[in-house]
Amino acid sequence: MRYIVISDIHSNAPALEAVLRDAPAFDAIICLGDIVGYGPDPNACVERVQDFDLTCISGNHDQGAVGQADVLIFNRDAREALSWTQRELTEANLGFLRGLSPSGVLDDDGRIVLAHGSPRDPVWEYIVDPSAATQNFRQFGFQLLLVGHSHLPLIFEWLYDQQRVQSLRPEPGVPVVLDGRRLILNPGSVGQPRDGNPQASYAMLDTEALTWTLHRTPYPVEITQERMRANGLPRRLIDRLEIGR
Ligand code: ZN
């Protein structure tokens, strides 16, 4: 199967559409959560991902939007955007988000595990350093762990012989060979990248060729920003889109 792996769309429909246009041919979508929050198009994004063969888990913002996570945990801007999102979402789309689990497995033997944050803390833990990666490698038996949440395209590999983690730098367009390796893979964020590159980020997972390939694609940031302004969403959330931070 050829999967497009997306995460942290954050209600940014222009970014999601750019990714769908840019992606090489794929059979299905894996979505690692945070479809909503921050951005101006929650309904469009929730509906669009369902046009495809979809495996989807929920993120902290999805849970905040449907009352499964306490909104007081979020910072002020995120909270403001979440209450707007709650008012905006249709009953059907609230129902879709409510039905999502915070983690899952892709294959029957549980070798490919999905979590928004991490397997031990599915919607809140950020795996952004070797120490958090090490703890999750040690605690769980996955071969591949796909995570989102940090909005950073990252790869951590478990080195069997040295019993330690190494960080790899994913290069857009350069396939990473998965065969036999234990890896934690983050495709970055579609709708709110935070690695200093404002382009939408996603990955392709090919379970036959056994490769993971990061992709970046530009999208009309100013259209998303304009829609955020029109809906009175927080200024800081609007400004950060163009710098990717
Ligand atoms: Zn997020």
Side-chain angles (χ1 to χ4, degrees):
M1 289 275 276
R2 288 164 58 82
Y3 296 94
I4 170 173
V5 185
I6 56 179
S7 190
D8 299 279
I9 299 165
H10 283 298
S11 300
N12 188 338
L16 176 59
E17 290 305 328
V19 163
L20 293 170
R21 266 195 309 276
D22 182 68
F26 61 91
D27 306 303
I29 291 184
I30 298 170
C31 176
L32 300 171
D34 279 3
I35 300 176
V36 304
Y38 297 137
D41 309 304
N43 288 307
C45 293
V46 171
E47 286 157 20
R48 187 65 170 124
V49 292
Q50 294 175 75
D51 288 343
F52 301 88
D53 179 349
L54 175 71
T55 303
C56 188
I57 57 175
S58 63
N60 50 324
H61 288 256
D62 303 321
Q63 293 199 342
V66 299
Q68 291 169 338
D70 186 352
V71 291
L72 294 175
I73 304 170
F74 293 86
N75 68 43
R76 203 173 128 206
D77 290 337
R79 219 161 50 221
E80 232 180 282
L82 270 181
S83 24
W84 178 83
T85 301
Q86 282 168 345
R87 294 194 300 273
E88 198 70 11
L89 279 168
T90 65
E91 260 322 303
N93 292 335
L94 283 166
F96 172 82
L97 293 175
R98 260 185 222 117
L100 299 175
S101 303
S103 59
V105 288
L106 190 64
D107 51 344
D108 294 335
D109 52 9
R111 288 158 51 86
I112 304 178
V113 170
L114 317 175
H116 182 64
S118 78
R120 60 177 185 170
D121 189 356
V123 297
W124 292 108
E125 183 177 23
Y126 291 92
I127 304 184
V128 289
D129 54 54
S131 138
T134 301
Q135 291 166 38
N136 280 282
F137 274 120
R138 287 223 161 101
Q139 217 173 316
F140 298 92
F142 56 81
Q143 188 80 38
L144 301 178
L145 168 62
L146 313 187
V147 297
H149 194 39
S150 68
H151 300 206
L152 303 171
L154 294 169
I155 301 178
F156 295 103
E157 176 168 24
W158 180 250
L159 301 174
Y160 291 98
D161 45 347
Q162 300 171 38
Q163 293 288 298
R164 68 172 183 89
V165 164
Q166 84 170 344
S167 310
L168 305 172
R169 178 174 279 278
E171 293 284 343
V174 180
V176 174
V177 177
L178 304 175
D179 198 12
R181 298 164 84 179
R182 274 195 91 194
L183 298 162
I184 297 175
L185 301 157
N186 189 323
S189 166
V190 170
Q192 204 193 83
R194 288 185 192 155
D195 61 342
N197 175 355
Q199 297 190 345
S201 188
Y202 69 99
M204 298 296 298
L205 169 66
D206 189 325
T207 55
E208 272 139 49
L210 292 172
T211 54
W212 170 271
T213 311
L214 181 71
H215 291 267
R216 301 303 287 259
T217 187
Y219 74 94
V221 175
E222 65 290 351
I223 292 179
T224 303
Q225 290 179 314
E226 193 39 55
R227 288 187 41 69
M228 289 173 80
R229 261 179 233 115
N231 286 288
L233 286 161
R235 174 73 193 274
R236 204 179 77 90
L237 299 178
I238 298 170
D239 291 345
R240 70 189 303 182
L241 287 178
E242 69 201 49
I243 51 169
R245 286 279 180 211

